[in-house]
C-alpha cells in the first residue's frame, strides 16, 4: 500500500486511579497532561468522569453536587493546560447544564486552549452498579467530529463503544481517530466465570470500529477497585489501548498500573486503508432506512 504522505501524530492515553478527592484527581490528571506533553504527546485523552470515583454504583441525590457547568473550573483548567503545552485535550466531565438536567459530557480543547466543542453521551446504561440513567440525561449533541490542530477527531463515551452506529456516524463526519473515554470493569464475583469473555467482547467491538471505518480507535480506561457503597464494588480493568486502521492492536496498557500510553500514529494511513478496503464507498445507503426502527417486525 502506498501512502499519500505521512502525517504522524502522537496521542497519549492517561490511565489513572481515581479517589474521593476531586481536587486531587484533577491535580493528578493535569500532572499527567504535563508529563505526556513533555514526552511529545499532541492529543491527550483522560478517562471517563476522572474527577471522582465512579459514583453511578448507586442512586444518590447527593452525588449531583459533583457536577459542574461547562465552561467551568475543570474545563478551564484543562483549557489552560492545552494552551500552555500547545496540545489537544479530551476530558470527560459530569456536566450540570441547568437544574435537573445533567449530562455525561466530553470536552475537546484545541491546542490554543479554545473549546472546540462538547459531546454529550448518547447511550446511557442502567445495569447493576452502572446506574447512569439516574444521573445523566441522554445526549442531544448528536455524534460529533472536530478539526483540531493535529487532526480530525471524534469522541464517544464508554457505553457508546458498543454501538457501531455511533462510530459510523462519527467517522462519516471525517473523524480520523475515535476517542472513547471509559470507566468499565468487572463485578469481582463474576470475573472468574465471565471476565475473559466480557473483556474480549469490549476489545473486539472497538477494534471492529477501526476495521469498519478505516480509522484509529483510542480507548482510555481507569484502574483500581472502587467500593463507594461497600460490597465488592467494581474492579476496573485498565488495558487502555490504541487500535489501527485495520483494527490491529498498536499498543495496550496494563491491567492495574497508572501509566501514560504514548503512541505515534500516521493519519495518512486512514486514506490508504479506505482506498484499499473501500467499505465507505460500497455502503448501500439506499437500503439502510430500517436502521432507524427499534425492531423490524
Amino acid at each position: 500500500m502506498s501512502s499519500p504522505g505521512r502525517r504522524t501524530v502522537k496521542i497519549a492515553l492517561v490511565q489513572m486511579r481515581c479517589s474521593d478527592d476531586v481536587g486531587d484527581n484533577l491535580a493528578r490528571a493535569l500532572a499527567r497532561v504535563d508529563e505526556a506533553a513533555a514526552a511529545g504527546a499532541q492529543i491527550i485523552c483522560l478517562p471517563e468522569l476522572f474527577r471522582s470515583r465512579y459514583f453511578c454504583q448507586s442512586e444518590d441525590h447527593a452525588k449531583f453536587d459533583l457536577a459542574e457547568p461547562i465552561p467551568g473550573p475543570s474545563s478551564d483548567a484543562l483549557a489552560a493546560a492545552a494552551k500552555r503545552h500547545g496540545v489537544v485535550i479530551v476530558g470527560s466531565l459530569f456536566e450540570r447544564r441547568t437544574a435537573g438536567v445533567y449530562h455525561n459530557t466530553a470536552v475537546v480543547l484545541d491546542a490554543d486552549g479554545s473549546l472546540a466543542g462538547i459531546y454529550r453521551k448518547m447511550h446511557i446504561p442502567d445495569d447493576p452498579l452502572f446506574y447512569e440513567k439516574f444521573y445523566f440525561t441522554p445526549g442531544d449533541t448528536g455524534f460529533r467530529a472536530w478539526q483540531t490542530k493535529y487532526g480530525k477527531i471524534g469522541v464517544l463515551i464508554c457505553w457508546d463503544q458498543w454501538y457501531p452506529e455511533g462510530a459510523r456516524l462519527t467517522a462519516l463526519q471525517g473523524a480520523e481517530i475515535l476517542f472513547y473515554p471509559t470507566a468499565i470493569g468487572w463485578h469481582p464475583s463474576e470475573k472468574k466465570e465471565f471476565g475473559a469473555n466480557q473483556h474480549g467482547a469490549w476489545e473486539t467491538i472497538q477494534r471492529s470500529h477501526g476495521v469498519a471505518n478505516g480509522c484509529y480507535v483510542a480507548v482510555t480506561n481507569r484502574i483500581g477497585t472502587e467500593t463507594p457503597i461497600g460490597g465488592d464494588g467494581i474492579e476496573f480493568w485498565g488495558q487502555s489501548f490504541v487500535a489501527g486502521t485495520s483494527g490491529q492492536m498498536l499498543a495496550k496498557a496494563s491491567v492495574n498500573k497508572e501509566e501514560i500510553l504514548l503512541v505515534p500514529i500516521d493519519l495518512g494511513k486512514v486514506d490508504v486503508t479506505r482506498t484499499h478496503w473501500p467499505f465507505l464507498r460500497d455502503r448501500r445507503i439506499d437500503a439502510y432506512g430500517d436502521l432507524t426502527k427499534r425492531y423490524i417486525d
Side-chain angles (χ1 to χ4, degrees):
M1 292 185 183
S2 61
S3 172
R6 290 185 63 83
R7 296 171 53 214
T8 301
V9 172
K10 287 187 178 181
I11 62 176
L13 307 184
V14 176
Q15 180 168 286
M16 60 184 284
R17 189 182 306 273
C18 300
S19 73
D20 288 324
D21 187 335
V22 295
D24 178 66
N25 291 330
L26 179 59
R28 288 188 298 107
L30 291 170
R32 298 294 180 269
V33 167
D34 293 345
E35 185 180 344
Q42 294 164 300
I43 308 176
I44 303 169
C45 183
L46 298 163
E48 182 184 19
L49 301 171
F50 70 91
R51 283 213 61 195
S52 67
R53 291 193 185 276
Y54 183 72
F55 54 86
C56 304
Q57 293 188 43
S58 65
E59 297 182 350
D60 182 355
H61 289 92
K63 299 302 182 186
F64 285 103
D65 291 341
L66 293 169
E68 59 184 289
I70 297 173
S74 293
S75 62
D76 288 348
L78 294 174
K83 183 177 183 179
R84 182 168 65 253
H85 296 296
V87 299
V88 174
I89 298 176
V90 177
S92 171
L93 303 173
F94 185 14
E95 178 192 6
R96 183 187 189 276
R97 187 175 183 180
T98 190
V101 181
Y102 295 74
H103 296 280
N104 187 334
T105 300
V107 293
V108 178
L109 291 314
D110 212 343
D112 61 357
S114 64
L115 180 64
I118 64 171
Y119 167 74
R120 293 179 173 131
K121 187 173 182 177
M122 294 284 282
H123 301 97
I124 311 297
D126 186 56
D127 288 319
L129 302 186
F130 292 89
Y131 299 114
E132 294 197 13
K133 280 185 166 61
F134 180 79
Y135 296 99
F136 306 132
T137 302
D140 57 1
T141 56
F143 300 103
R144 304 288 306 278
W146 300 270
Q147 183 63 55
T148 71
K149 181 177 180 179
Y150 300 113
K152 195 160 190 180
I153 68 172
V155 180
L156 300 104
I157 302 172
C158 203
W159 194 239
D160 290 325
Q161 61 211 181
W162 298 97
Y163 296 86
E165 298 90 345
R168 175 73 88 201
L169 288 169
T170 306
L172 287 177
Q173 297 175 63
E176 298 166 301
I177 313 169
L178 302 179
F179 284 95
Y180 287 90
T182 296
I184 191 169
W186 295 292
H187 293 189
S189 63
E190 297 179 355
K191 182 179 177 180
K192 183 177 180 180
E193 182 176 0
F194 302 112
N197 285 343
Q198 289 171 343
H199 177 265
W202 173 79
E203 193 174 272
T204 299
I205 189 66
Q206 292 179 95
R207 292 173 66 181
S208 76
H209 300 330
V211 177
N213 297 292
C215 64
Y216 291 91
V217 175
V219 185
T220 314
N221 198 13
R222 66 174 68 193
I223 62 163
T225 298
E226 298 183 13
T227 58
I229 60 170
D232 291 337
I234 300 173
E235 180 186 345
F236 293 95
W237 58 48
Q239 300 180 79
S240 304
F241 70 89
V242 177
T245 58
S246 293
Q248 71 274 35
M249 186 66 73
L250 299 180
K252 182 161 72 169
S254 64
V255 175
N256 55 9
K257 293 181 181 178
E258 290 191 308
E259 58 187 286
I260 296 171
L261 196 65
L262 186 67
V263 186
I265 60 174
D266 177 9
L267 295 181
K269 290 186 177 178
V270 173
D271 185 69
V272 173
T273 302
R274 288 178 177 175
T275 52
H276 285 75
W277 286 30
F279 301 137
L280 298 186
R281 182 196 68 188
D282 294 340
R283 293 175 63 241
R284 287 294 306 275
I285 59 175
D286 58 309
Y288 299 154
D290 283 346
L291 283 176
T292 61
K293 297 180 179 179
R294 179 68 63 187
Y295 184 75
I296 303 172
D297 296 290

